[in-house]
């Protein structure tokens, strides 16, 4: 069993897990998944958010020179109720009779659990905390933007969506310079290193998720600009992508690693963002580039499946279409909001959701020429811009967007 974690806490791990648990809740209604998602999101905002609105890279494993000291407990420190609840025994599960807190099952007494958890958090806040790596890494913040945007929208937490918007605005204001990305910043000042493929791809992924949630066309525009750079500067000439741009630092060998690991590979992340952008715009070059990038993941998965996770997820979306969802109706109309919520709750792989007011002349191709139905807000479910009959019923839309 996994009892003792690696105590270092990384932004990319928590951003990816946040999105996974949110999607698990969306697919199953799991109370546990919802709780884990919200607690992870709140931790990101509490412990990793920077003064400028971005997210720091990591918390160290050590405090006061001792690995895990900030996080482990003895029975005397936690008290009898918490010791039973969190499996803290005399023998310990870590070093020197200390234990990490384990919640093996959902507590029978939820109120006691909340009280004890808050009390222990207060005790822990008096300890010397681990150091924080305050670098804001573009790629990892892009993953955080996508996760917070979706979690906030699906779990009715507008504060999480706002946090995603602020992090995205920081990426635009600080990391984006003349259409090109800088990889890192600190204290609101961009560093010298140029963005690599994963930066462009993951930030585009974050902007696309933010567009789906907010309907603000500026995020789709910014994603398109980043993906234009991907198509211009990163292709390897064989359907894939290099990890560094053609005008970047000259290396003995230009890297091009397609394997997904703790975070998506730049290649698979680029394929996902390109495919989603094509779903919104109908762009054949973006879709073709996504298909070319995905060609490696079948053979890779057959030999080393654990290194093809993101690539396979994007391939699943490609095989499904992906489904393109246009929600049209007056902004603020409860019927429009209900259709948008049903669209975001759909489990169709990689579904691209757009929302707009047909009276506002939307620039996004997926939304164009999609009228309301009988004066009522409507939703269109399409593949390759060929659409089923529109619906005004959120329940019917939900049925049309189930995974299959």
């Amino acid at each position: 069993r996994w009892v003792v974690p690696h105590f270092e806490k990384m932004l990319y791990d928590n951003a990816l897990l946040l999105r996974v648990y949110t999607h698990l809740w969306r697919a199953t209604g799991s109370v546990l998944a919802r709780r884990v998602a919200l607690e992870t999101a709140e931790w990101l905002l509490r412990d990793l958010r920077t003064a400028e609105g971005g997210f720091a890279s990591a918390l160290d494993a050590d405090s006061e020179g001792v690995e895990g000291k900030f996080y482990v407990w003895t029975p005397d420190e936690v008290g009898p109720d918490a010791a039973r609840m969190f499996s803290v025994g005399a023998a310990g599960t870590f070093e020197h009779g200390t234990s990490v807190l384990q919640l093996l099952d959902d507590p029978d007494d939820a109120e006691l659990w909340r009280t004890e958890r808050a009390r222990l958090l207060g005790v822990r806040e008096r300890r010397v905390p681990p150091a924080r790596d305050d670098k804001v890494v573009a790629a990892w913040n892009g993953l955080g933007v996508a996760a917070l945007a979706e979690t906030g929208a699906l779990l009715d937490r507008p504060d999480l969506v706002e946090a995603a918007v602020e992090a995205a605005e920081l990426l635009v204001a600080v990391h984006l310079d003349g259409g090109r990305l800088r990889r890192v910043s600190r204290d609101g000042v961009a560093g010298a290193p140029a963005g690599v493929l994963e930066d462009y791809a993951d930030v585009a992924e974050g902007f696309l998720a933010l567009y789906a949630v907010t309907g603000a066309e500026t995020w789709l525009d910014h994603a398109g600009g980043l993906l234009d750079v991907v198509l211009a500067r990163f292709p390897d000439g064989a359907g894939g992508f290099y990890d560094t741009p053609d005008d970047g630092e000259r290396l003995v060998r230009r890297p091009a690693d397609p394997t997904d690991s703790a975070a998506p590979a730049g290649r698979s992340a680029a394929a996902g963002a390109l495919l989603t952008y094509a779903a919104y715009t109908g762009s054949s070059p973006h879709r073709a580039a996504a298909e070319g990038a995905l060609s490696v993941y079948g053979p890779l998965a057959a030999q080393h499946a654990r290194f093809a996770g993101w690539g396979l997820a994007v391939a699943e979306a490609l095989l499904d279409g992906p489904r393109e969802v246009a929600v049209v109706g007056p902004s603020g109309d409860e019927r429009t909001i209900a259709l948008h919520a049903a669209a975001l709750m759909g489990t169709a792989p990689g579904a691209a959701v757009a929302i707009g007011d047909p009276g506002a002349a939307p620039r996004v191709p997926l939304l164009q020429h999609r009228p309301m139905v009988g004066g009522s807000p409507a939703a269109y479910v399409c593949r390759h811009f060929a659409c089923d009959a529109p619906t005004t019923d959120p329940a019917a839309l939900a049925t049309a967007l189930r995974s299959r």
Side-chain angles (χ1 to χ4, degrees):
R1 291 187 293 118
W2 182 21
V3 175
V4 178
H6 179 48
F7 291 105
E8 186 179 24
K9 297 181 185 293
M10 307 301 299
L11 170 58
Y12 56 79
D13 285 330
N14 285 279
L16 290 166
L17 285 168
L18 170 57
R19 207 172 183 189
V20 164
Y21 277 100
T22 296
H23 287 184
L24 177 59
W25 171 81
R26 180 173 66 181
T28 68
S30 165
V31 174
L32 174 63
R34 185 180 190 278
R35 177 170 65 77
V36 171
L38 288 174
E39 289 174 2
T40 303
E42 288 161 0
W43 175 83
L44 283 171
L45 268 59
R46 184 185 70 231
D47 286 4
L48 287 192
R49 201 175 191 188
T50 68
E52 297 75 32
F55 292 92
S57 298
L59 298 182
D60 285 353
D62 300 353
S63 53
E64 299 183 272
V66 180
E67 182 178 0
K69 185 174 182 179
F70 188 66
Y71 301 106
V72 297
W73 304 80
T74 65
D76 289 342
E77 288 174 323
V78 299
D81 287 336
R84 286 190 298 271
M85 192 176 302
F86 295 109
S87 305
V88 178
T93 58
F94 187 51
E95 297 173 346
H96 312 299
T98 62
S99 297
V100 295
L101 303 182
Q102 299 179 78
L103 190 64
L104 300 183
D105 295 295
D106 267 349
D108 295 327
D109 188 336
E111 184 58 37
L112 177 63
W113 171 76
R114 283 191 289 268
T115 299
E116 288 298 294
R117 183 171 178 268
R119 180 180 65 82
L120 293 179
L121 181 61
V123 173
R124 199 185 70 181
E125 286 176 344
R126 296 194 289 272
R127 297 177 176 179
V128 176
R132 189 171 83 164
D133 181 347
D134 281 333
K135 289 194 308 296
V136 172
V137 177
W140 305 350
N141 273 256
L143 296 175
V145 167
L148 287 166
E150 289 190 351
T151 301
L154 292 174
L155 299 182
D156 194 23
R157 285 286 301 268
D159 59 315
L160 302 182
V161 177
E162 182 57 34
V165 169
E166 290 184 14
E169 289 174 341
L170 175 72
L171 291 170
V172 171
V174 175
H175 287 250
L176 199 56
D177 181 13
R180 303 298 293 273
L181 276 176
R182 295 291 180 182
R183 179 163 173 79
V184 297
S185 70
R186 188 169 185 271
D187 297 331
V189 179
V196 296
L197 181 60
E198 70 163 349
D199 294 306
Y200 285 88
D202 289 340
V203 172
E205 174 80 14
F207 289 169
L208 290 167
L210 205 51
Y211 170 66
V213 165
T214 66
E217 292 177 350
T218 184
W219 300 119
L220 186 63
D221 293 340
H222 284 310
L226 296 177
L227 294 173
D228 285 346
V229 176
V230 169
L231 294 180
R233 297 293 184 178
F234 290 89
D236 65 4
F241 296 103
Y242 288 110
D243 291 324
T244 57
D246 60 2
D247 58 352
E249 181 183 358
R250 306 319 265 171
L251 303 171
V252 174
R253 183 176 181 274
R254 195 173 168 193
D257 184 359
T259 57
D260 297 318
S261 187
R267 178 169 176 154
S268 62
L274 287 162
L275 184 64
T276 302
Y277 187 77
Y280 285 125
T281 63
S283 169
S284 296
H286 288 80
R287 184 180 177 91
E291 291 175 348
L294 288 173
S295 63
V296 73
Y297 290 101
L300 178 60
Q303 297 182 52
H304 305 288
R306 65 175 295 189
F307 296 112
W310 197 275
L312 289 176
V314 178
E316 186 179 34
L318 177 69
L319 290 171
D320 191 65
R323 276 170 258 187
E324 305 141 355
V325 189
V327 177
V328 292
S331 177
D333 187 307
E334 291 297 327
R335 298 168 298 173
T336 307
I337 293 169
L339 286 169
H340 187 215
L344 294 174
M345 281 293 290
T347 54
V353 177
I355 181 172
D357 187 335
R363 293 185 292 106
V364 179
L366 179 58
L367 292 171
Q368 293 173 358
H369 313 298
R370 313 279 187 225
M372 296 195 297
V373 175
S376 295
Y380 295 75
V381 178
C382 319
R383 285 185 175 90
H384 311 296
F385 278 52
C387 304
D388 297 335
T391 182
T392 60
D393 181 5
L397 178 58
T399 298
L401 289 176
R402 289 177 184 153
S403 59
R404 55 179 182 266

